[in-house]
Amino acid sequence: MKKTEIGTILLVAILIATSMVVMPETLTVAQGGELSFDLIAPGELGYWIRVCEIFKRSCEDIGIKINVKAMETGAWVSAMMDTHDFDIAMCGMLMEPTPSYLPLLFHSKYAEGGFNVAGVNDSELDALLDQSQVTVDQEELKNIIWQIQERIAENVYSIPIFTEDVVFAYSNKFTGIIGIPGDGAVNIWSYINMRRTSGEGGEMKIGMLGDIKTNNPLLRTLSLEAYIEHMVFETLVAFDANLTVVPWLAESWEVSENGTVWTFHLRNNVTWQDGVPFTADDVVFTIETVLENKPPTWYSYFELIDRAEAVDNYTVRVYMKQPYAWTLTTFATFEILPKHLWKDVPWNTTNPPMIGTGPFKWVKWEKGEYIELEKNPNYWQAGKPHLDRVLWTVYETGSAEVLALRSGEVDLMYRYIPLESIKTLIEDPNIVVGVSPGLNFRYFIPNLRRAPFNDINLRKALAYAVDKETIVNAIMLGYASPIDSFVPQAWGKWNNPNVPKYEYNLTKANEILDKAGYLDVDGDDIRELPGTPAPSAVPFWVWIAVAVVITAVCSGGAAYIVLKRKAKA
Amino acid sequence: MDMKEFIVRRTIQTIIIFFIMITFNFFLFRIMPGDPTAILIGNPNITQETRERIIHEFGLDKPLWMQYILYIRELIRGDLGVSFYFTGEPVIKIILGKRMINTLVLMGSATALSVVIGFITGVVSAWRRGTKLDLAGLIISIVFFSTPSFWLGLVILLVAGYYLHLIPLGGTVTRGLVHVNVFHYIADYLHHLIAPMITLTLVLYGGYYLMMRNSMLETLTQEYIVTAKAKGLPERRIMFKHAARNAILPLVSMVAINAALIVGGAIVTETVFSWHGIGSLMFLAVASKDYPVLQGIFLIISITVLLANFIADILYAYLDPRVRY
């Protein structure tokens, strides 16, 4: 063995020894828990992970350690809903235009295996949520919804972050495209009004990201399917741009005093696209089909309907099992199907008769390529629609679709514009960019089943550490709005603007934590749970002793090897 | 051992491997975390009861061994089950339909092109080893070989599609176009095929090139090449008739291994060019945990690879009798 080799071994030994002396902190962990939490989010959504990273950095400044865990989507869902194995989760929901969803997210009966991921168990809140389902009087209902928002925010059961905007873009050769909250450009108002600036007729190509799965409305699971099928099939009532319910196939309606009987008066000038008149029988048939076969997406909306009957050709009465506040949401979301064509086919057919009352007729679906629709010349709103033909064309990536829009291969991109492309589209003189508020929210869910999240002080401190402005501007490039309530501003009158707000404020967060007894007792910049005793410092000579022993062992080993080699030689 | 015995032995081996493989296929997807009904999260109105009902309808509440036995039974009957994602559609219909044709055309043409290009450039490069031509060939092939295909695809889309308007930006045919006759359709289809085919060819040919070049270099040191040269035979004849013929064996087995690509499609390239094929289906199926579709695709890929290797082995045994022993 050469001198240099012995030297190297000695050097390594000394390095190990000194490194142990300079980093003694790692061994002086306090007894009891540190505030170190796992934050789970689906890894597939890169920007969610970046949101989590921003939150993580803020938390570092208030002495809370966050480990961001990017998970496979299915595993993330089952951690949240089935096993409840998480500390904090980032979650996002796409919602309907009325706050009928609140019980699903916060009622204690959905805490096991349901969407009440946080595990909220608050009997007072439960009572309010129950009321929000049965109150038919609109003013009273609004009051209740406002109270619910307040109670959730006061107790920080979850931490709202932002609502994503719906950004759409279209060629300036078209006009009459109307954006409404949630659906953006693809809604019935656009369908009947959109036309070429050059005049009547012509075709429009709408890009879609990926194909639809089915064209049977009863089997629907994607919002894209609803957007396309709403060109063909229509609803009894509709949401307008202010999310107010307005008449559509039903001209007017009234509800009985106890809220259990809804009467709809139908228009008498509507015909199906094959010429058969549209009547009350079709409405009754549609409701009965859903009640009988329970298609997953529809049934939960219809669950509280007991039965429906046709009073005369143009009057339908719907009987509820109990008063239900959101009946109109159901009839603004789900379409009426023609009895004379659907009664002979199984409800879950993959080849449904595509005849509706809508402004466009279904022509064909070339799977994976495009869906073609043409004008319904006998549409019940005279003079509409204006276009002769609409093509929905499939692209698999947003970037390819943006290129297609800019080169004129696509006329309308209704959503999923990559954020970084929006600026180029705004600068393009041939493109019009529209922004509608989204009906969604992204939020953090603390696992209330676990200590220390059952402490409201900790939750408040976490809420103060969410830098919503930075998240919205840096990650969403401004195409989102910070939110403070679980009925965000986009929901109009249902939004309670007076809920307690937790504006980004690390000083306040630190104060709350200090006051509540979460202190950093071992000096590693991470706070410990209240009552954690300070660790006894390890005397300096212990480290020296450890270093000496290691050095001795290493150099002894080296000497042994050298001697053995020599003996062999 | 004669040829017949060899074939019988290889057939039995292939069948055994086939059964191991379907077992593996089955359990592979079921040990992945998460469950397929979780994909319904986007819709909060899917209640817990509904979710349980769906689980029951698809038989996901049965014990794993029972699911396995049912799977084998249906497989023998030729039924690959129904898709979770495309609610209720039979898997066979989804896989062995238009998607398969599109993928076969795309991957078949790209593989054929890249084998031919890789073969010719490999032979020439080895023959002129050490020259600037050889170096250029090496560098170009390694650059394309290591280029991510989604990036290459997007650049081709941007340049040829957006700026030069030479190619369409997606799909297999012009959307909504009514084709006057078959030739019109074929022309339209080929127009859409060019860009993804070129992308794939560029990405794939490097492997064949390197394999061919290496194998050629080895062959060129053989004495019979020296003899051929000494006889004064023309260069091209020695290159392709004498050397390349003997150097082609490794290329054969490489093509057999890559047969998986031909039926499995190229996930990334198909997605970039919105090519309605098996690759994009596989992506969709993974994202939505569509076990039956994934199993179906894997099954077909495995069968193809097994068959391709079986054929390659027999071809080998025929070409080179030493293999049999």
Side-chain angles (χ1 to χ4, degrees):
Chain A
M1 196 177 220
K2 303 227 173 72
K3 268 184 196 159
T4 46
E5 288 175 42
I6 300 171
T8 318
I9 292 172
L10 275 178
L11 193 69
V12 170
I14 290 163
L15 278 177
I16 293 171
T18 39
S19 64
M20 293 203 62
V21 174
V22 287
M23 324 188 290
E25 284 92 350
T26 49
L27 287 180
T28 59
V29 175
Q31 300 284 308
E34 279 191 326
L35 294 191
S36 164
F37 307 121
D38 287 341
L39 168 55
I40 63 169
E44 220 177 285
L45 298 169
Y47 69 102
W48 283 32
I49 303 297
R50 276 149 61 208
V51 169
C52 293
E53 294 290 341
I54 288 188
F55 179 58
K56 174 189 170 158
R57 249 170 284 151
S58 309
C59 282
E60 263 165 29
D61 291 341
I62 57 168
I64 295 175
K65 194 175 163 208
I66 299 283
N67 310 307
V68 178
K69 276 169 92 180
M71 294 175 90
E72 190 276 329
T73 309
W76 164 72
V77 171
S78 67
M80 287 195 304
M81 297 185 46
D82 303 332
T83 61
H84 305 303
D85 182 17
F86 67 97
D87 296 327
I88 309 173
M90 180 167 173
C91 190
M93 291 280 178
L94 248 182
M95 293 301 178
E96 58 260 35
T98 43
S100 56
Y101 53 79
L102 286 167
L104 284 169
L105 302 184
F106 297 103
H107 198 292
S108 59
K109 69 181 171 189
Y110 298 113
E112 280 319 307
F115 279 89
N116 180 355
V117 175
V120 178
N121 193 349
D122 175 343
S123 52
E124 221 166 293
L125 181 62
D126 282 354
L128 281 171
L129 290 168
D130 286 336
Q131 261 185 303
S132 81
Q133 296 296 292
V134 297
T135 308
V136 182
D137 182 76
Q138 293 289 297
E139 263 317 299
E140 208 180 311
L141 184 59
K142 185 179 126 181
N143 233 328
I144 295 165
I145 297 291
W146 279 36
Q147 282 179 45
I148 293 172
Q149 294 171 60
E150 240 169 64
R151 183 145 186 105
I152 294 169
E154 271 165 12
N155 291 292
V156 207
Y157 286 137
S158 286
I159 305 168
I161 314 171
F162 63 90
T163 293
E164 274 176 49
D165 289 339
V166 177
V167 183
F168 53 93
Y170 56 95
S171 150
N172 66 356
K173 287 191 208 112
F174 291 87
T175 177
I177 291 166
I178 297 159
I180 72 168
D183 295 342
V186 278
N187 58 72
I188 189 70
W189 306 97
S190 285
Y191 297 159
I192 58 172
N193 288 311
M194 59 196 191
R195 60 192 160 84
R196 297 187 83 88
T197 39
S198 55
E200 287 290 299
E203 75 168 26
M204 179 194 248
K205 293 196 196 96
I206 308 177
M208 47 181 181
L209 202 61
D211 202 358
I212 57 171
K213 286 154 50 169
T214 172
N215 60 342
N216 182 342
L218 293 170
L219 296 175
R220 175 182 305 153
T221 51
L222 305 175
S223 42
L224 174 63
E225 288 159 356
Y227 297 149
I228 299 174
E229 284 150 22
H230 277 155
M231 288 191 147
V232 180
F233 298 106
E234 291 183 302
T235 49
L236 280 189
V237 292
F239 287 110
D240 69 3
N242 306 317
L243 298 184
T244 311
V245 176
V246 296
W248 203 259
L249 289 179
E251 203 156 35
S252 62
W253 60 88
E254 67 259 350
V255 55
S256 71
E257 210 146 289
N258 62 5
T260 54
V261 184
W262 292 74
T263 312
F264 293 93
H265 303 282
L266 310 180
R267 289 181 200 279
N268 53 19
N269 61 337
V270 180
T271 56
W272 295 100
Q273 287 162 357
D274 60 358
V276 176
F278 160 80
T279 67
D281 278 344
D282 296 308
V283 181
V284 173
F285 168 77
T286 306
I287 294 172
E288 278 172 355
T289 304
V290 174
L291 293 182
E292 207 172 290
N293 302 299
K294 302 187 170 57
T297 322
W298 293 51
Y299 184 61
S300 52
Y301 286 84
F302 285 69
E303 225 166 358
L304 292 179
I305 296 177
D306 183 42
R307 66 196 166 87
E309 71 174 21
V311 178
D312 59 49
N313 259 353
Y314 297 104
T315 312
V316 182
R317 211 162 270 164
V318 178
Y319 296 88
M320 311 297 293
K321 290 176 190 155
Q322 63 188 64
Y324 182 48
W326 311 105
T327 307
L328 288 178
T329 306
T330 304
F331 289 106
T333 311
F334 294 100
E335 306 99 312
I336 305 302
L337 305 172
K339 180 181 181 183
H340 66 284
L341 296 168
W342 281 70
K343 66 180 196 297
D344 303 321
V345 296
W347 70 275
N348 56 359
T349 172
T350 50
N351 186 23
M354 296 299 283
I355 298 284
T357 56
F360 289 94
K361 290 203 249 182
W362 185 275
V363 179
K364 76 168 167 184
W365 174 19
E366 194 67 45
K367 288 189 184 175
E369 303 287 346
Y370 64 91
I371 292 163
E372 185 182 341
L373 299 116
E374 66 179 21
K375 181 178 181 164
N376 173 10
N378 303 318
Y379 188 52
W380 56 273
Q381 299 193 48
K384 287 167 175 174
H386 303 286
L387 294 167
D388 285 340
R389 196 158 89 127
V390 173
L391 282 177
W392 290 78
T393 60
V394 177
Y395 291 86
E396 297 288 347
T397 68
S399 344
E401 205 183 317
V402 168
L403 288 180
L405 174 67
R406 296 189 62 198
S407 67
E409 213 173 273
V410 156
D411 302 312
L412 166 65
M413 188 167 176
Y414 75 92
R415 197 179 279 179
Y416 308 118
I417 302 177
L419 284 173
E420 56 279 7
S421 305
I422 296 177
K423 202 165 154 265
T424 34
L425 288 177
I426 290 175
E427 283 162 5
D428 191 323
N430 301 318
I431 304 287
V432 183
V433 175
V435 180
S436 295
L439 295 180
N440 58 67
F441 38 82
R442 313 289 175 234
Y443 59 118
F444 288 133
I445 308 172
N447 190 350
L448 304 180
R449 300 171 189 84
R450 276 188 186 176
F453 294 106
N454 45 13
D455 179 7
I456 183 168
N457 292 309
L458 176 65
R459 301 201 300 266
K460 272 191 180 155
L462 288 171
Y464 277 116
V466 180
D467 188 355
K468 296 171 192 170
E469 288 296 326
T470 303
I471 289 169
V472 163
N473 292 322
I475 297 176
M476 302 309 297
L477 306 181
Y479 293 101
S481 328
I483 54 172
D484 301 295
S485 151
F486 281 91
V487 185
Q489 301 87 312
W491 274 262
K493 65 170 178 179
W494 303 109
N495 167 254
N496 180 350
N498 308 319
V499 295
K501 294 183 174 63
Y502 301 91
E503 315 239 336
Y504 182 56
N505 189 339
L506 294 183
T507 329
K508 214 161 191 178
N510 271 321
E511 265 169 34
I512 293 173
L513 289 171
D514 285 343
K515 217 187 272 173
Y518 296 93
L519 301 170
D520 177 19
V521 289
D522 56 4
D524 63 351
D525 290 338
I526 301 170
R527 293 171 186 270
E528 274 77 34
L529 290 177
T532 307
S536 45
V538 178
F540 187 65
W541 63 265
V542 171
W543 296 106
I544 300 292
V546 169
V548 167
V549 167
I550 289 176
T551 317
V553 167
C554 291
S555 36
Y560 174 74
I561 293 167
V562 173
L563 289 176
K564 208 174 169 191
R565 285 266 173 101
K566 274 203 176 148
K568 261 189 189 167
Chain B
M1 187 165 46
D2 65 350
M3 195 70 186
K4 218 173 174 180
E5 210 185 312
F6 176 78
I7 293 177
V8 170
R9 216 176 59 180
R10 283 293 291 126
T11 313
I12 294 170
Q13 277 173 359
T14 305
I15 291 169
I16 293 171
I17 294 172
F18 176 74
F19 270 97
I20 295 174
M21 196 191 66
I22 52 176
T23 310
F24 186 70
N25 250 356
F26 179 85
F27 288 102
L28 184 67
F29 296 114
R30 277 158 182 82
I31 56 174
M32 292 202 300
D35 81 83
T37 55
I39 210 70
L40 300 167
I41 182 90
N43 189 334
N45 289 298
I46 301 285
T47 57
Q48 188 59 13
E49 299 93 79
T50 314
R51 203 173 144 196
E52 271 155 21
R53 201 156 59 83
I54 295 172
I55 289 177
H56 180 75
E57 260 169 38
F58 281 112
L60 291 168
D61 53 349
K62 293 198 179 77
L64 209 53
W65 59 267
M66 187 107 132
Q67 291 184 37
Y68 176 67
I69 290 173
L70 285 174
Y71 172 63
I72 299 283
R73 193 189 70 188
E74 294 306 312
L75 191 66
I76 291 166
R77 294 180 185 174
D79 182 358
L80 293 183
V82 291
S83 163
F84 294 165
Y85 181 79
F86 299 97
T87 330
E89 288 254 356
V91 171
I92 277 268
K93 225 176 97 190
I94 296 172
I95 297 177
L96 296 180
K98 247 178 65 185
R99 283 179 183 271
M100 185 51 98
I101 296 171
N102 287 338
T103 286
L104 283 179
V105 171
L106 173 63
M107 298 311 296
S109 60
T111 305
L113 253 178
S114 50
V115 167
V116 170
I117 294 175
F119 173 78
I120 295 173
T121 51
V123 168
V124 173
S125 208
W127 188 258
R128 305 219 186 287
R129 64 190 173 283
T131 62
K132 276 184 186 154
L133 187 77
D134 178 32
L135 191 69
L138 258 178
I139 290 173
I140 294 171
S141 67
I142 287 173
V143 164
F144 281 124
F145 189 57
S146 34
T147 308
S149 50
F150 72 89
W151 182 83
L152 188 65
L154 276 176
V155 168
I156 289 181
L157 261 193
L158 184 69
V159 175
Y162 178 64
Y163 288 116
L164 302 176
H165 289 285
L166 290 175
I167 52 156
L169 292 163
T172 63
V173 285
T174 306
R175 278 73 185 276
L177 183 71
V178 182
H179 299 95
V180 275
N181 55 34
V182 184
F183 299 106
H184 186 208
Y185 177 84
I186 292 175
D188 191 29
Y189 191 87
L190 290 181
H191 187 207
H192 284 75
L193 175 69
I194 291 172
M197 185 180 72
I198 289 178
T199 308
L200 276 170
T201 306
L202 288 177
V203 173
L204 287 176
Y205 99 93
Y208 296 115
Y209 163 86
L210 291 172
M211 177 69 84
M212 195 60 209
R213 184 177 171 278
N214 272 356
S215 152
M216 251 318 252
L217 283 178
E218 223 166 87
T219 317
L220 288 181
T221 59
Q222 302 287 322
E223 276 160 8
Y224 63 87
I225 301 291
V226 182
T227 314
K229 276 190 193 165
K231 280 200 291 189
L233 291 177
E235 201 173 73
R236 186 171 296 181
R237 185 147 169 211
I238 307 174
M239 243 192 325
F240 289 102
K241 281 255 156 95
H242 294 246
R245 265 197 175 182
N246 285 297
I248 205 171
L249 277 179
L251 208 64
V252 172
S253 51
M254 196 166 165
V255 174
I257 291 164
N258 282 357
L261 271 181
I262 298 178
V263 287
I267 295 179
V268 172
T269 312
E270 286 185 6
T271 305
V272 168
F273 291 98
S274 309
W275 190 262
H276 185 57
I278 299 289
S280 48
L281 175 68
M282 190 139 61
F283 180 75
L284 205 65
V286 170
S288 55
K289 293 223 175 311
D290 198 339
Y291 298 158
V293 166
L294 275 179
Q295 262 166 222
I297 297 174
F298 274 46
L299 182 78
I300 286 174
I301 290 177
S302 324
I303 292 174
T304 317
V305 173
L306 272 182
L307 278 181
N309 279 290
F310 179 71
I311 293 168
D313 272 358
I314 289 170
L315 215 65
Y316 253 57
Y318 174 75
L319 292 172
D320 186 350
R322 282 173 299 179
V323 176
R324 277 183 251 169
Y325 301 101

